[in-house]
Amino acid sequence: MSDTSRPSRRAVLAATAGLTAALTVPTAARAAAPGEDRRLRTLISGMTLREKVGQLFVMRVYGHSATAPDQADIDANLKEIGVRTAAELIAKYRVGGIIYFTWAHNTRDPYQIADLSAGIQQASLDQPRGLPVLIATDQEHGAVCRVGKPATLFPGAMAIGAGRSRTDARTLGRISGAELRAMGINQDYSPDADVNVNPANPIIGVRSFGADPEAVAALVAAEVKGYQESRVAATAKHFPGHGDTAVDSHTGFPVITHSRELWEKLDAVPFRDAIAAGIDSIMTAHIQFPALDDSGDPATLSPRILSGILRGELGYDGVVITDSLGMEGVRTKYGDDRVPVLALKAGVDQLLNPPSLDVAWNAVLQAVQDGELTESRLDESILRILRLKARLGLLHDPHTDRTRIEHTVGTKAHLATADKIAERTTTLLVNEDRTLPLDSRTAPRLLVVGADPDSPSGTTGPPTGVLAAALTELGFTATALSTGTSPSAATIAKAVTAAQDADGVIVATYNVVPGSAQQTLVEHLLTVGSPLVALAVRNPYDVAQLPAVKACLASYGWTDVEVRAAARVIAGRVAPRGRLPVPVQRADDPTQVLYPIGHGLTY
């Protein structure tokens, strides 16, 4: 069949209009509407092979505009992708999805994001048999966030885990989803469904809701429901579970040593609940899991794990998307030309961000032409992708209405809700001698020192500055002195000198390890004699390394909303309500628990 004989874009949208209304109402089962697949299969039958291959890819692209990015972004696109703009990317490869990154200059402000989204959709619809695009990003909140202020930023997953409220998790999904949708983003790679049971996990950690599989599952399902309410596809990740790794799959190839029985009781639980909640997409992990597949292949490329367990045993028939194909964990064993083909053979539907789109795209095309992959296998994945696009209403109306931004993104009501949720997450771990709360009448002058990690996208930062400003607004006179994550002896001495003129000191800690300079800083500050409060701004495990500190809190993150909430707790404006969602082991004997799941003080 020639291209000119295939249905037009107007005919495509008209053919699906009837089914869209039935698909945009989220349901737990996400059941197909009568006649849905028949109509979608008609669309697929009218696609060329090259168009089908394109639908499987979700790709990065540099620039704030689909057609007129800055010259530096044009140069980056030419170097990495061989095109100048997002519009050219779509025209050449007919990709079914685009992923936004801050570093790719996609997310400057809400109106720009909406215009970029609109330009991408128009560029795709202008192609012969053009289909709408799934526009995605990693908006986990907390440590991983691509769209920043003035959008509403919520506490991260482990903080939500400390709050233990399914209502808050669902509210987060609903509000975050509504704001993303207003900017034309219709797929979010969140929530993280990993059960973080390894304190040394370098890549998950606070991105997880916690270490209790049932609690994690409940919050995952609640957040999924919230995103569904706003017609944004949520994505549970990283299947079959990335919570017990000591290696970052971005830079290495982690191995999970859990038994099959432990996997059933631990890692699988949140994914089961996500599926029951009607999760739209599930992201794979680039990890070895010998108990599930002893071939040595990463889960992303494992038919046993994806087709056998995820689809067969768990009964999931939604979209399966890979984690980024540029990560080392999936590139260790096979070349970049083999990875996308093997992923599709394993049961994947969407291929995310390959290092070279040209290599990956042509490898899939060649695999079909050589008979290694059948065109019908591609059709299976495209059907799932089109079902998702239909459920989101994109086949009926993919356009972005930028007028919604003013009344949706970063509204006073949304920001106030985020603040209230954050107040329910701050966890008081230690409070000897009633050190907290601090009183501005008896301790008016405060010094805020400590680590200032790079702020997640779009937050004001640095955390010591945000904390000092928040405490000043609460009636103290607070001064910030950033000492970093590895303070030198001179920096420590400067902090001790400054502390001698303060009535109290707050030290922000960030992943303290034995014998570290952060530990030394705290020890020296304790000699001053003023009340000292430690605030762990990432992992709550820091408290085990600070045994002499009489007051210690955990915020589980260093975004503004988390730090400001901690300030209100320190000042006694709100009582601490968070409870540990992970256990904290003793520093001198990691086999013993210092503070169990559920520990948390109040006043």
Side-chain angles (χ1 to χ4, degrees):
M1 185 183 293
S2 68
D3 285 354
T4 56
S5 66
R6 298 183 187 275
S8 66
R9 175 170 59 86
R10 181 173 297 179
V12 167
L13 296 179
T16 58
L19 66 93
T20 300
L23 292 170
T24 53
V25 179
T27 63
R30 313 292 275 170
E36 169 197 356
D37 282 2
R38 183 176 64 254
R39 296 184 181 99
L40 296 181
R41 289 183 195 280
T42 299
L43 294 184
I44 296 169
S45 68
M47 297 168 66
T48 67
L49 175 57
R50 298 173 70 86
E51 290 166 357
K52 289 180 179 181
V53 171
Q55 276 296 300
L56 306 174
F57 283 93
V58 180
M59 189 60 184
R60 69 190 180 279
V61 65
Y62 290 86
H64 71 287
S65 164
T67 55
D70 295 339
Q71 186 61 49
D73 292 323
I74 292 174
D75 294 342
N77 284 329
L78 286 170
K79 180 180 179 181
E80 294 186 20
I81 315 174
V83 298
R84 293 166 51 86
T85 66
E88 289 184 12
L89 167 67
I90 291 167
K92 182 175 181 179
Y93 292 104
R94 301 301 296 271
V95 294
I98 297 286
I99 179 173
Y100 287 171
F101 289 106
T102 310
W103 50 260
H105 309 138
N106 304 139
T107 58
R108 291 181 178 176
D109 65 74
Y111 288 99
Q112 169 269 317
I113 295 170
D115 290 344
L116 173 60
S117 301
I120 286 170
Q121 296 293 9
Q122 195 60 54
S124 186
L125 295 174
D126 284 345
Q127 298 301 313
R129 298 160 305 282
L131 290 169
V133 175
L134 283 169
I135 298 176
T137 197
D138 289 287
Q139 193 78 349
E140 295 179 16
H141 295 276
V144 177
C145 227
R146 310 303 187 201
V147 180
K149 294 176 64 176
T152 304
L153 299 177
F154 287 89
M158 191 170 284
I160 298 298
R164 300 166 296 150
S165 170
R166 281 180 273 187
T167 299
D168 285 350
R170 186 164 183 162
T171 299
L172 183 159
R174 177 178 55 79
I175 292 177
S176 178
E179 296 197 8
L180 291 175
R181 185 79 188 209
M183 293 179 276
I185 298 170
N186 45 57
Q187 186 175 21
D188 189 11
Y189 298 145
S190 184
D192 192 304
D194 300 311
V195 182
N196 197 84
V197 294
N198 187 342
N201 195 322
I203 185 59
I204 304 301
V206 294
R207 297 168 63 194
S208 161
F209 287 110
D212 180 338
E214 299 293 343
V216 171
L219 295 171
V220 165
E223 189 173 311
V224 168
K225 290 293 187 183
Y227 278 107
Q228 288 173 356
E229 290 174 20
S230 294
R231 288 205 302 170
V232 168
T235 307
K237 59 187 184 185
H238 307 79
F239 190 84
H242 210 314
D244 191 10
T245 59
V247 175
D248 183 347
S249 52
H250 289 83
T251 57
F253 192 11
V255 179
I256 303 286
T257 58
H258 292 181
S259 67
R260 173 63 191 249
E261 181 182 18
L262 181 57
W263 177 80
E264 292 277 3
K265 295 178 179 179
L266 188 75
D267 307 281
V269 177
F271 290 101
R272 289 184 188 276
D273 278 27
I275 292 168
I279 187 73
D280 285 302
S281 51
I282 291 179
M283 181 178 286
T284 66
H286 303 326
I287 57 174
Q288 288 186 67
F289 211 126
L292 305 183
D293 181 353
D294 60 4
S295 68
D297 286 344
T300 297
L301 309 182
S302 169
R304 296 182 197 175
I305 292 175
L306 300 186
S307 294
I309 296 175
L310 180 57
R311 296 217 187 273
E313 296 179 24
L314 301 188
Y316 179 65
D317 194 36
V319 171
V320 174
I321 180 169
T322 70
D323 206 341
S324 170
L325 297 183
M327 293 166 60
E328 190 62 29
V330 79
R331 303 175 74 190
T332 300
K333 191 173 178 181
Y334 301 100
D336 292 337
D337 58 335
R338 294 299 299 154
V339 166
V341 176
L342 294 174
L344 290 170
K345 293 176 74 172
V348 157
D349 302 306
Q350 286 187 304
L351 301 161
L352 177 62
N353 203 26
S356 169
L357 179 59
D358 195 64
V359 167
W361 190 94
N362 279 293
V364 174
L365 180 67
Q366 192 65 48
V368 177
Q369 293 172 340
D370 291 346
E372 183 180 6
L373 285 171
T374 64
E375 195 164 346
S376 63
R377 168 64 192 89
L378 270 57
D379 293 351
E380 291 175 15
S381 287
I382 296 167
L383 178 60
R384 294 189 187 101
I385 294 167
L386 292 183
R387 283 173 181 161
L388 176 53
K389 292 181 178 182
R391 274 201 302 273
L392 297 174
L394 299 178
L395 295 181
H396 175 64
D397 182 13
H399 300 288
T400 303
D401 181 4
R402 74 196 312 267
T403 63
R404 294 173 55 197
I405 290 175
E406 180 181 356
H407 304 291
T408 306
V409 179
T411 64
K412 288 183 178 180
H414 286 179
L415 294 172
T417 298
D419 281 337
K420 288 298 182 184
I421 289 175
E423 287 176 358
R424 295 190 278 271
T425 68
T426 306
T427 305
L428 180 59
L429 300 173
V430 179
N431 194 24
E432 296 178 14
D433 302 333
R434 296 186 178 181
T435 301
L436 289 173
L438 298 180
D439 189 330
S440 60
R441 294 168 297 183
T442 57
R445 298 170 303 167
L446 299 181
L447 174 68
V448 180
V449 301
D452 271 330
D454 290 340
S455 291
S457 300
T459 65
T460 303
T464 56
V466 172
L467 185 57
L471 289 167
T472 298
E473 290 176 6
L474 293 168
F476 297 89
T477 300
T479 303
L481 174 61
S482 177
T483 51
T485 55
S486 299
S488 65
T491 300
I492 292 173
K494 182 178 180 181
V496 170
T497 299
Q500 292 170 351
D501 294 325
D503 302 307
V505 179
I506 294 93
V507 55
T509 66
Y510 185 94
N511 297 359
V512 179
V513 296
S516 65
Q518 288 188 71
Q519 234 181 13
T520 303
L521 170 67
V522 172
E523 290 168 357
H524 281 67
L525 289 170
L526 283 168
T527 65
V528 175
S530 300
L532 178 70
V533 178
L535 173 64
V537 296
R538 186 162 184 150
N539 291 327
Y541 313 113
D542 287 4
V543 65
Q545 305 296 333
L546 307 172
V549 172
K550 293 186 176 182
C552 186
L553 305 112
S555 64
Y556 309 96
W558 61 105
T559 59
D560 297 354
V561 69
E562 292 160 313
V563 172
R564 289 196 309 263
R568 293 194 291 278
V569 170
I570 291 169
R573 297 300 176 89
V574 296
R577 294 173 56 183
R579 299 289 184 270
L580 274 176
V582 294
V584 174
Q585 283 81 19
R586 294 176 59 95
D588 57 351
D589 184 2
T591 65
Q592 299 297 314
V593 173
L594 178 63
Y595 298 115
I597 291 176
H599 172 76
L601 308 175
T602 191
Y603 39 77

